Amino acid sequence: LGTLNLGNILLLPLITAYLSPSELGLYSLVAAAAVQGTTLGLLGLKFSYLYYYAQSDPSERPTLLGACLLLGGGASAAAGLLLWVGFSAPGIMAVFEAEPLPQGWLLIPSLLSGCVQTLLLTELRAARQVWLSSVIAFSQLLAMLLFSFLLVTRFDAGLPGLLGAGAAAQRLAGLAA
């Protein structure tokens, strides 16, 4: 979540220069919903995992990680699906005076990969691999900035480009973890 927030701050000049005011407002709404969806999808598993990691036998830790990934992944996919339905519903979007967001489906892989990445980075921290966790998070930030810049400026992708860039950067970080 910290990387996403820092990335949004660093992208502010790009976002304000290339997005219309209505797209900027919608992006802010989507970013806030993504943060809340990721928090909901994690179900507090990050802290539970750290507690049980410290309490469990080393041979039980892979099972613990697998169970957390399955539960968190399922909850994140469900949260992404709910957000997609919300951002696709004309009645709900009318409340925000916005058109339905056809690219809202990107929230499903974004939340899912964000949850998996968070849990895998938590595993690295628990295993005292903090430096590797930091390198992956920093790499994700750079990838998000690069993808966003390319998609928005070179390919004129606008809001869908920003959503896709964030999702792609999270997937790469999840693969690296």
Side-chain angles (χ1 to χ4, degrees):
L1 294 179
T3 304
L4 175 67
N5 291 332
L6 179 59
N8 285 333
I9 290 170
L10 294 175
L11 285 173
L12 202 53
L14 177 77
I15 292 169
T16 56
Y18 285 89
L19 296 183
S20 69
S22 62
E23 284 182 316
L24 180 59
L26 187 56
Y27 179 71
S28 298
L29 181 64
V30 169
V35 168
Q36 296 307 315
T38 301
T39 303
L40 175 68
L42 282 170
L43 301 169
L45 287 172
K46 185 167 94 170
F47 305 108
S48 298
Y49 180 79
L50 288 172
Y51 174 79
Y52 286 105
Y53 182 94
Q55 302 295 325
S56 67
D57 185 70
S59 65
E60 297 172 355
R61 291 176 183 161
T63 305
L64 175 64
L65 179 62
C68 286
L69 288 171
L70 282 174
L71 181 60
S76 293
L81 183 62
L82 286 174
L83 288 175
W84 177 30
V85 168
F87 282 116
S88 299
I92 293 174
M93 294 308 288
V95 172
F96 301 105
E97 299 177 6
E99 295 294 318
L101 184 63
Q103 302 83 10
W105 66 269
L106 285 169
L107 289 166
I108 297 171
S110 180
L111 293 183
L112 179 59
S113 61
C115 173
V116 168
Q117 173 204 352
T118 299
L119 290 171
L120 290 175
L121 291 178
T122 301
E123 159 67 22
L124 289 175
R125 288 183 194 107
R128 306 274 192 240
Q129 299 286 332
V130 177
W131 66 273
L132 184 56
S133 172
S134 300
V135 167
I136 291 171
F138 184 71
S139 298
Q140 177 192 356
L141 176 64
L142 290 178
M144 181 180 151
L145 294 173
L146 177 66
F147 292 159
S148 296
F149 180 78
L150 289 174
L151 288 171
V152 172
T153 62
R154 295 282 186 193
F155 298 104
D156 198 29
L159 180 59
L162 288 173
L163 295 176
Q170 280 184 333
R171 276 188 231 115
L172 286 176
L175 288 173

